[in-house]
Amino acid sequence: MQFKNPEILYALFLLLIPILIHLFQLRRFKKTPFTNVVFLQNVIQNTRKSSSIKKWLILAIRLIALACLVIAFAQPYFPASSGATKPKETVVFVDNSYSMQATGKKGNLLTEASQDLLSHLPDDQLVTLVTWDEVFKKFNIQKDRNILIDLDFTLKTTDSKSLLLRLNTLFSKDLNTEKRLVLVSDFQDFDLSNLADTSSVKIYPVLLDPVAFENFSIDSLTIERNADLYDLNVLVSSSFKSEDQLPVSLFNGNELIAKSSVKFSSSDTASTQFQLPADKAIKGMIRLDDAALEYDNSFYFSINNALPLKVLAITDESFDFLKKLYSAASFEFVSVSENQLDYALLADQDLIILNEINSIPISLINSLKSHTQKGGTVILIPSTRDQPEAYSNLLTAFGMQPFTKTISTPSYITGISYDHPLFQNVFSGRSSNLQSHIVNSYSKLNTNNPILTFENGDPFLTENNNLYVFTASLSSSNSNFVKGQLIVPTFDKIALQALSLPKPYYTLGTNATFDIKTDLATDAALVLEKKSKQYIPLQQKRGDNISVSTSQGITNAGLFEVKYKSDTITTVAFNHDRKESKLQSPVTQTNNEIEFSSTIKSLFDTLEQESNLNLFYKWFVIFALLALLAEMLLLKFLK
């Protein structure tokens, strides 16, 4: 037995006072002369003995009554559990990821969680309220209820292990407190095996199930140029197979320009196609009607009227293959011989190709260095003539070692650095059979950054400081590379890296970087604007290019205009990651026996029962009343 107010038990010492008074009372008996004293002596002795017993009984009953009252005020109890008497630390995590947009019994799951917490969080306790993107310490349900009401969805999520580590840091290091972690979530994309490692923290998961797990979402979008048209291929995913036709709409701004439909009778994915004119800028949005998750029902993209990428070839040899490579409308190709080069032409180029020129003067090297420092790119294709030393100054200026010697043995190109930025996401597979590319001779170059290599490991293509260097001539007399399958992706990707144009769309939470070619002043700042709300991204000016990075700051999907003052330069689109679109029951994700609470109410009822002290002070009050009643009866009937 324990006491809530043990200090009141000191009042039991006061019981000594009536005992002392009873033992040392100073009352004197007065003698009265009377006849027949001998006859009365026996009667007097019997009366005194019964009176003494009565007084002792009354004293004992009064002491019992007073002791019961003192113990009742001390509030004795037996704890309902081992941790009932410990101080409590409670951290409540509310999942506000986009999967919580699913419909529950009281609206979406996030609204349901907020309302239940408002109704059942204890009024007399301070808790720590946590979401994916916020921490509210000393949260009081009476003073801070608007925080729960105003909770919004966020894309800032991590894996479950990192989340639990973060939540554990919010508890104190006091070993004498009972630590409770309440997780309110639908547990989508959550590794539930991590819940078994509780250490000193008790984890109480509350599983919020949607009314239905069916959900449709726009998964991705691909755009291909086909003559004067853009072909849009829209991939739509579903969490179940369905024979129903799902309408898909295409908008340009607020204007509906096309409609289509898909169905999922044979698989959980389907696709539909649209066509758009290639000569028109599009602020596009794909929309489908789905009552489950809202965030994945719209997909934004943009097609801008981009300026052609300028390519300059400085060459004294045949450049027919270069002219064919850069003949598309997205390129503006110019060639000039070495002795007719106007240096003023270099400043306006994005990509400069040195194709088998015999000498590179220092003035040209300095101009090329300035070109790459402003974001441009240079390609060096050496001459077939045995003059590797002619390029030594250029290679040294770009931080590379000079060519050492010429290898005149035919060699196959067999190695590709698939992880190099030049070839990332270019090939669908990684082939080890590239025996079709061969060169008759090449210049040996020592480098730690090869992109394409010969069978002996020597580099065929390498890069440093925006200078791409081929170690062999690409003329038909020395190599068949210009007729192979690598020529187009290699030169195309090098050109695109010279000016990173905005993509049709970016995914929120990833590092989105693109270049804008403009002649703005050095201190000019671009802004991203959506519905009059502006955001200033990270940006760096390099010559005529401004490199824009949006890795942080943008949290809402949609179309953003890139503006300078009131002028719109281009449009970029951002979409949410679709990783939480496929809804499934967390019970099917793990074999571990994890006890979930079905509602927030049932959980807090359980926690309250675990904290009960089983008070029984009322029994001592009853005992005190019974003792007083016994005293009254004793005084009345015992003579």
Side-chain angles (χ1 to χ4, degrees), residues 123-419:
D123 296 343
D124 57 346
Q125 290 185 18
L126 295 179
V127 302
T128 300
L129 180 67
V130 187
T131 64
W132 282 109
D133 53 344
E134 296 284 352
V135 176
F136 305 97
K137 295 185 177 181
K138 296 182 179 180
F139 177 85
N140 182 275
I141 192 62
Q142 296 297 329
K143 298 179 181 178
D144 306 320
R145 59 188 301 111
N146 286 337
I147 292 177
L148 269 176
I149 296 174
D150 296 336
L151 284 183
D152 200 3
F153 301 98
T154 182
L155 57 87
K156 297 179 181 179
T157 61
T158 59
D159 59 274
S160 57
K161 186 175 182 180
S162 299
L163 172 65
L164 292 176
L165 289 174
R166 173 192 169 208
L167 295 175
N168 283 337
T169 62
L170 299 175
F171 292 100
S172 71
K173 297 181 180 180
D174 189 355
L175 300 179
N176 295 321
T177 61
E178 181 181 352
K179 299 173 176 61
R180 297 170 167 177
L181 175 57
V182 178
L183 302 176
V184 183
S185 173
D186 59 352
F187 295 99
Q188 298 294 321
D189 195 28
F190 198 99
D191 186 1
L192 297 176
S193 61
N194 291 319
L195 295 181
D197 184 17
T198 60
S199 60
S200 60
V201 178
K202 292 184 178 180
I203 300 181
Y204 300 90
V206 180
L207 174 59
L208 301 181
D209 274 335
V211 175
F213 288 96
E214 291 81 8
N215 179 55
F216 298 101
S217 67
I218 303 176
D219 186 86
S220 60
L221 170 73
T222 58
I223 301 177
E224 295 181 359
R225 180 76 176 263
N226 182 13
D228 295 331
L229 295 173
Y230 284 117
D231 292 330
L232 275 66
N233 186 58
V234 182
L235 181 64
V236 184
S237 63
S238 171
S239 59
F240 68 106
K241 295 181 180 180
S242 173
E243 294 287 345
D244 297 336
Q245 294 280 347
L246 181 69
V248 181
S249 304
L250 172 62
F251 292 83
N252 180 17
N254 295 323
E255 179 187 359
L256 177 63
I257 57 177
K259 293 199 74 171
S260 181
S261 63
V262 294
K263 66 178 181 178
F264 305 89
S265 55
S266 59
S267 68
D268 57 359
T269 59
S271 63
T272 185
Q273 290 76 36
F274 297 97
Q275 284 189 328
L276 292 171
D279 58 349
K280 183 179 179 181
I282 301 294
K283 296 181 179 180
M285 180 185 71
I286 306 293
R287 178 75 185 175
L288 57 81
D289 297 325
D290 176 33
L293 301 183
E294 174 64 27
Y295 86 100
D296 56 12
N297 293 343
S298 299
F299 199 96
Y300 301 92
F301 68 95
S302 63
I303 300 176
N304 297 282
N305 293 327
L307 297 174
L309 191 147
K310 296 184 177 181
V311 180
L312 171 65
I314 305 174
T315 178
D316 288 328
E317 301 293 335
S318 173
F319 57 90
D320 289 342
F321 76 97
L322 294 175
K323 189 174 182 180
K324 292 179 180 178
L325 285 172
Y326 299 120
S327 61
S330 56
F331 298 105
E332 185 179 309
F333 179 79
V334 177
S335 65
V336 63
S337 62
E338 177 186 353
N339 56 9
Q340 295 180 348
L341 175 63
D342 182 3
Y343 281 35
L345 186 63
L346 302 178
D348 196 34
Q349 305 302 313
D350 300 308
L351 173 63
I352 299 174
I353 303 174
L354 307 177
N355 182 40
E356 300 194 36
I357 62 177
N358 296 318
S359 63
I360 305 178
I362 297 298
S363 57
L364 178 58
I365 293 175
N366 291 335
S367 297
L368 294 176
K369 283 282 291 181
S370 176
H371 171 71
T372 56
Q373 289 171 354
K374 293 179 180 179
T377 301
V378 177
I379 299 177
L380 171 62
I381 304 173
S383 171
T384 54
R385 300 178 181 87
D386 188 11
Q387 295 178 333
E389 65 278 359
Y391 309 105
S392 297
N393 291 336
L394 174 66
L395 296 175
T396 302
F398 280 85
M400 304 175 69
Q401 297 185 20
F403 293 129
T404 56
K405 60 180 179 179
T406 301
I407 307 297
S408 300
T409 304
S411 302
Y412 285 97
I413 302 169
T414 59
I416 299 178
S417 178
Y418 291 98
D419 295 326

Side-chain angles (χ1 to χ4, degrees), residues 417-450:
S417 178
Y418 291 98
D419 295 326
H420 191 278
L422 189 66
F423 289 133
Q424 281 184 353
N425 303 321
V426 173
F427 303 101
S428 58
R430 299 194 174 196
S431 174
S432 59
N433 184 16
L434 299 172
Q435 297 293 329
S436 60
H437 299 82
I438 189 172
V439 299
N440 295 324
S441 66
Y442 67 91
S443 298
K444 190 174 180 61
L445 180 66
N446 295 323
T447 179
N448 295 324
N449 189 29

Side-chain angles (χ1 to χ4, degrees), residues 379-382 403 452 459-462 468-474 481 487 490-491 494:
I379 299 177
L380 171 62
I381 304 173
F403 293 129
L452 297 174
F460 172 66
L461 173 63
T462 186
Y468 287 85
V469 179
F470 287 90
T471 60
S473 168
L474 302 186
F481 183 76
I487 181 69
T490 300
F491 276 86
I494 292 176

